[in-house]
């Protein structure tokens, strides 16, 4: 047997093997590192080995994670501020999202003040894209043009709630008020009077596809899992696409819908364990979901004997620690195990070998939140919404540059132009749209005169874009196209997990080429081919298409060599 294979042909993972012998302490490793980080302003190499030792793990296990996750690797002062550099904040500050906060605090991003009093960390998105720019002072949000003054205390903090509007008349996700059925009642009725097969059938009829970006059929993913007693369902709340904040809205404003959806998925897949991963940049969502989870246990929705059925369901809400790629399902599983959040080669797929080698179904928060409506109203009702090939509704996030930013629930197939000009009201202050980012930096870009496309994966793909999480970020004419291109590459270079050489090296070389400002020539053609064909996950594979779509959207304002 190869030292890289297990007895049954799977890949050998040294961290998993050691951790399983020690009672899987990796489950606690990242939280322990986060607590140690708060008490240790020094470099993580000086304090992380002691954390590993306390859990019976080798120093390398802690050091690897402590240097990988941004929140653990960043220097911390007694007061820690995170400032957003994501697409919406970039667009709201004429491309200089850090300047005002750095001046106000007197410290550069990535540094600690000389007296150790304050530190500043640059992050890629805080989910306040509708009120950009944004910063987190500890766990308290500061937003809007005066965010820097709020951080210093010169003006009161301002963190307005997320504006949300249903445009369908019969919302699947933004259900509220007396007309909305309690998701927990749907769960109670299902677990006591229905069967897993019946839930699977309704979801298959509904045509529901994952809303996290990949668009994979939910019923097909459920079918792939073995439905063994050890099966796990994971709710992916690591909404990392800059410009998207719909999952944050659901986790903070509709936690019962998210948790009931997770319970229904566990029921359908025969899973006795559920996990919710909430990104660290959403501290309010983490607190709300944990409180809602405690209430669910108290009310009998979770526990060893759910509603007297004899079924056990154990659910835990976990915190992320700062990594974009950890939103990819295999990297997310690695993170939940306490390892570096790097993508893993497939096969085996998570439905075969996932969390601690158990069959695992990973579902986006928005996807799971749709399940109570589908189970209550029937799959056929959902299938009639949206388009024939992409049924249902979608939450779309509009950024601060719009006259009416916020989250809108729309039917799939809605015109992007209607979203921008009808619902969003165009750009505020009479500004002119230059390009529109759709579905995050890797989703792609549309030109201002190319918005006559349906909000659907297939239609957007034909224009070189992708639906992704459904975030729309407007870039106006005040921004230099070269700065937008460089910003895209900065995101890629910073957030590549480094697990594969094509993406790790390619993203950095792409940034160097963009920073030079010249036509990249034939080197980009070779580099893009390697990224697309050899990257381990969609992050690297998607980069060239995103770059090409941005160049096309700007027309002749960027070197044409990037379009190859």
């Amino acid at each position: 047997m190869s030292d890289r294979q297990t007895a049954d042909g799977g890949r050998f993972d040294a961290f998993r093997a050691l951790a399983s012998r020690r009672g899987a302490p990796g489950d606690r490793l990242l939280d322990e590192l986060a607590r140690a980080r708060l008490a240790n302003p020094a470099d993580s190499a000086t304090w992380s080995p002691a954390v590993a030792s306390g859990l019976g793990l080798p120093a390398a296990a802690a050091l690897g994670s402590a240097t990988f996750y941004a929140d653990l690797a960043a220097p911390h002062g007694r007061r820690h501020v995170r400032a957003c550099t994501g697409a919406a904040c970039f667009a709201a500050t004429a491309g200089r999202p850090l300047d005002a906060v750095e001046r106000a605090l007197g410290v550069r991003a990535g540094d600690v003040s000389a007296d150790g009093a304050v530190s500043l960390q640059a992050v890629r998105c805080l989910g306040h894209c509708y009120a950009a720019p944004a910063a987190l002072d500890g766990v308290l949000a500061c937003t809007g043009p005066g965010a820097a003054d709020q951080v210093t205390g010169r003006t009161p903090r301002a963190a307005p709630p997320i504006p949300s509007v249903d445009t369908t008349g019969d919302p699947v996700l933004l259900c509220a008020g007396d007309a909305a059925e309690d998701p927990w009642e749907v769960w109670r009725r299902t677990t006591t009077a229905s069967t897993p097969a019946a839930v699977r059938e309704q979801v298959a009829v509904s045509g529901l596809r994952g809303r996290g970006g990949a668009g994979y059929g939910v019923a097909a993913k459920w079918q792939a899992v073995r439905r063994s007693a050890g099966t796990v369902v994971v709710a992916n709340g690591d909404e990392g696409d800059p410009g998207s904040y719909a999952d944050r809205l659901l986790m903070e404003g509709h936690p019962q819908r998210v948790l009931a959806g997770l319970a229904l998925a566990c029921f359908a897949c025969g899973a006795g364990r559920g996990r919710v991963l909430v990104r660290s940049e959403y501290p309010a969502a983490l607190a709300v979901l944990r409180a809602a989870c405690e209430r669910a246990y108290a009310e009998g929705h979770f526990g060893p004997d759910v509603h007297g059925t004899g079924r056990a369901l154990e659910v835990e809400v976990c915190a992320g620690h700062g990594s974009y790629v950890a939103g990819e399902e295999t990297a997310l599983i690695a993170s939940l195990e306490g390892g570096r959040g790097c993508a893993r080669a497939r096969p085996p797929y998570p439905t075969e070998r996932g969390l601690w080698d158990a069959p695992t179904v990973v579902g986006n928060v928005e996807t799971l939140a749709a399940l109570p409506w589908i189970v209550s109203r029937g799959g056929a009702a959902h299938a009639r919404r949206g388009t024939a090939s992409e049924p249902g509704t979608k939450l779309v996030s509009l950024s601060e540059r719009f006259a009416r930013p916020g989250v809108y629930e729309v039917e799939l197939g809605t015109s992007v132009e209607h979203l921008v000009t009808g619902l969003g009201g165009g750009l505020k202050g009479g500004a002119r749209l230059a390009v529109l980012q759709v579905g995050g930096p890797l989703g792609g870009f549309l030109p201002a005169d190319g918005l006559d496309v349906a909000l659907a994966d297939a239609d957007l793909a034909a224009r070189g874009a992708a639906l992704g999480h459904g975030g729309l970020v407007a870039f106006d004419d005040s921004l230099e196209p070269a700065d937008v291109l460089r910003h895209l590459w900065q995101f890629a270079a910073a957030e590549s997990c480094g697990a594969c050489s094509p993406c790790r090296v390619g993203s950095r070389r792409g940034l160097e080429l963009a920073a030079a400002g010249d036509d990249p020539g034939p080197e980009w053609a070779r580099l893009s081919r390697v990224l697309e064909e050899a990257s381990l996950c969609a992050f690297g594979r998607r980069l060239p298409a995103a770059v090409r779509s941005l160049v096309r959207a700007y027309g002749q304002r960027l070197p044409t060599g990037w379009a190859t």
Side-chain angles (χ1 to χ4, degrees), residues 33-51:
L33 287 170
R35 280 190 281 272
R37 167 83 278 180
L38 295 176
N40 290 278
D43 184 88
S44 57
T46 65
W47 52 264
S48 60
V51 175

Side-chain angles (χ1 to χ4, degrees), residues 380-391:
H382 184 268
R384 288 192 291 268
R385 316 289 294 276
T387 71
S389 59
E390 299 181 36

Side-chain angles (χ1 to χ4, degrees), residues 109 300 414:
T414 299

